[in-house]
Structures are given as C-alpha cells and as structure tokens.
Amino acid sequence: MGPYANLLCEADDCLAVVTVNRPAKLNALNRATIDALDSCFRDAAQNPSVQAVIVTGSGGKSFVAGADIEEVSGFTALEGREWGLHGQAMLRRIETMEKPVIAAINGYALGGGLELAMACHIRIASTRARLGQPELKLGIVPGFGGTQRLPRLVGKGHALEMLLTGDPVSAEKAMAIGLVNQIAEPEHLLGAARSLASRILRNGPLAVALTLQAVNRGFEMPLAEALEWEVSQYALSCATEDVREGTRAFLEKRKPRFRGR
Ligand code: COA
C-alpha cells in the first residue's frame, strides 16, 4: 500500500500498521494528511491481504495533536463546513470499514486526534497518553465527530465535562470512563495492539466483517429494527463455508482453517 503523504504504512501477516508521520507538528492533521488517510483506508478496505489495521502516531510524544491549527485558523463559515465534512467523511470511512481498526494511542490524542481514535473500533492507550477535545479553548466547536462519538462512547455527563472544559484526561481516567479498552506501557503499546489484532484474526473473517456491520449500523437504529438487522447478518453467516469449517473444527477438536468464504 502507498506511499501516502505524511503516513508510514507497513503490512505483514494480514496486519497493516498506519503511522501518522508529522512528528515536528505532533502529527497534526493537515489536509494532505486527511487525504492520505482517506486513500490509505480506501486501499486497505479493498486489499485482500490486509485483514486488520492499527493506527498510531510517530515520535514518542503524540498520537495526533488535532487538526492543523495553522490551516484552520481564518476559515470562513463555508470553508469550515467543507473542512468538517471532509474530515468527517474520512473518519466515517474508518468507522464503517469491515475490517477491525485499532487505535494505538501513544501520546497526545487531542481534538481531531481523539476524533480519529474514536472512529477506530478499539482503542489502546499508552500510560503516557493524554486524551481530550480542547477545541473550546480555541473558541471553536469540534467538527470531526467529537460532539457525537464522545457521548456515545462515555455517556453524556463525562463527554460534556471533557468538551466544555477542554481539559485532557489521563489514560487511567480514559479507561475508567470507557474511552479506551486497554492501557499498556509505552514500550508494549504496539505489541498489545498486535496481540489484540491477532486474537481477532483467528476468527472467521466473514463473521468479523458481518459483526462490524451489525454493530455499526445497528447502533444507529431503534432496538427492534437493529435486532432484525442482526438476524439478517446472522442468516448470511449461516450460509458461509467458514461456519461449516468452524463448527466441524470444534466437533473434530482442532483449530479451524477459515478461508473467508
Ligand atoms: N496544529 C498545528 N501545529 C501543532 C498542533 C496543531 N494541532 N499541535 C502542536 N503543533 C505544533 C506546535 O505549533 C509546535 O510547532 P513549532 O515547533 O513549529 O512551533 C510543535 O507542534 C510542537 O508543539 P508544542 O506546542 O511546542 O509542544 P508542547 O509539548 O509544548 O505542547 C501540546 C504539546 C499538545 C499540549 C500543544 O502542542 C497543544 O496544545 N497543541 C494543540 C492541541 C489542540 O488544541 N488541538 C485541537 C486543534 S483543533
């Protein structure tokens, strides 16, 4: 995959590691980086040799320290709207990807950085991570999903405290409120993300994709409709070769060899 501006991408054993790479600007998201992430995730979605993606930041200090403040200062309302829609579309591509995406938060995840992490399916934070939506300190409103995904993840009360104060939280606090799934020492962060990805990759890939769809779309529906949606995903999974292999392997007391069919 790639190359992409301001991104490092490596892929091995079905796992792609995407590193946002503007360390001199703490990996802030300028337009070129947003475009690169969009292309990179479009390619990862289509590439059959990629089954899961880890997103992290380069340098020891930051995951992503937000949208690039130099680029966004001085926007008119129309420019701001276009920028917000552009960033939201890229993050929506990540959120709706049918392959698991794990954020390995190695430092500051602020503003657009936290919004990027929240669009990922699972988050692991280094003990050094600081997570926040500091936009109100700049006099602007989060525009890449922060006002919507944060309350959905941590509840309205914690979200409003983080949004209205703009103050970042520690990894421990993020874990306590459900903003991250795990905490790891900085030197073990990528290892923890790889190990989580490999636990997922042992499972039937079609069932993983159908479950991501079931949760992502179902989460936005009323329960009765979401349950119908779940049944349609379940029914589809019943018709795969993978379910034959998975159930046969259980009965034969061996590990399944899923082929994603
Ligand atoms: N956009 C553009 N540049 C940024 C940036 C951002 N979001 N975040 C950091 N940078 C740049 C700084 O301007 C600085 O560049 P310079 O060396 O050319 O002056 C460089 O990255 C290092 O940042 P610095 O502020 O010197 O590091 P620090 O350790 O003192 O502070 C932060 C780290 C994360 C607390 C601080 O950089 C910060 O508050 N960043 C902005 C976070 C934010 O408001 N994000 C939401 C934006 S909508």
Side-chain angles (χ1 to χ4, degrees):
M1 291 192 335
Y4 308 97
N6 304 325
L7 296 184
L8 303 172
C9 285
E10 335 156 7
D12 61 76
D13 283 342
C14 301
L15 181 62
V17 179
V18 176
T19 306
V20 182
N21 187 35
R22 292 183 79 210
K25 295 290 175 190
L26 302 184
N27 307 320
L29 297 177
N30 59 359
R31 186 174 286 271
T33 312
I34 291 174
D35 290 346
L37 281 165
D38 195 56
S39 305
C40 176
F41 276 91
R42 185 199 56 215
D43 295 347
Q46 286 167 3
N47 185 338
S49 65
V50 173
Q51 291 300 318
V53 183
I54 293 172
V55 187
T56 192
S58 113
K61 200 168 161 183
S62 181
F63 173 71
V64 166
D68 189 312
I69 296 172
E70 256 177 78
E71 281 197 10
V72 305
S73 65
F75 273 168
T76 62
L78 278 181
E79 287 165 343
R81 184 170 191 277
E82 189 278 331
W83 169 261
L85 290 173
H86 192 62
Q88 284 187 1
M90 181 276 286
L91 295 182
R92 189 74 174 149
R93 185 193 287 288
I94 296 178
E95 182 172 55
T96 57
M97 177 135 137
E98 293 168 11
K99 300 172 184 180
V101 184
I102 300 169
I105 304 170
N106 54 311
Y108 290 115
L110 301 176
L114 181 54
E115 290 170 319
L116 168 62
M118 290 192 294
C120 297
H121 302 133
I122 299 176
R123 283 151 293 283
I124 306 184
S126 130
T127 48
R128 280 211 289 259
R130 305 279 292 165
L131 305 93
Q133 297 283 168
E135 285 89 343
L136 271 65
K137 291 181 192 279
L138 301 170
I140 49 168
V141 172
F144 289 179
T147 65
Q148 302 308 309
R149 291 197 180 95
L150 189 57
R152 282 168 169 77
L153 268 172
V154 304
K156 198 170 156 188
H158 289 302
L160 279 173
E161 182 177 341
M162 286 180 68
L163 288 160
L164 296 180
T165 64
D167 293 337
V169 297
S170 64
E172 288 74 19
K173 173 82 190 232
M175 178 85 184
I177 63 178
L179 185 52
V180 301
N181 300 64
Q182 288 181 36
I183 302 180
E185 290 301 327
E187 64 276 24
H188 299 309
L189 178 68
L190 268 187
R194 283 180 183 281
S195 136
L196 177 59
S198 73
R199 279 164 54 210
I200 298 172
L201 291 178
R202 272 180 228 145
N203 296 328
L206 290 178
V208 168
L210 291 167
T211 298
L212 281 167
Q213 288 175 2
V215 173
N216 277 331
R217 284 192 50 195
F219 205 71
E220 290 160 15
M221 294 174 186
L223 183 61
E225 216 178 295
L227 287 170
E228 275 180 38
W229 170 237
E230 182 193 72
V231 162
S232 70
Q233 299 300 93
Y234 169 75
L236 267 181
S237 75
C238 290
T240 61
E241 280 178 31
D242 281 355
V243 73
R244 307 279 170 270
E245 168 62 12
T247 48
R248 202 178 305 124
F250 175 82
L251 296 172
E252 292 170 4
K253 302 191 188 305
R254 61 171 174 83
K255 285 191 178 153
R257 286 182 297 273
F258 292 117
R259 299 172 69 189
R261 288 198 266 193

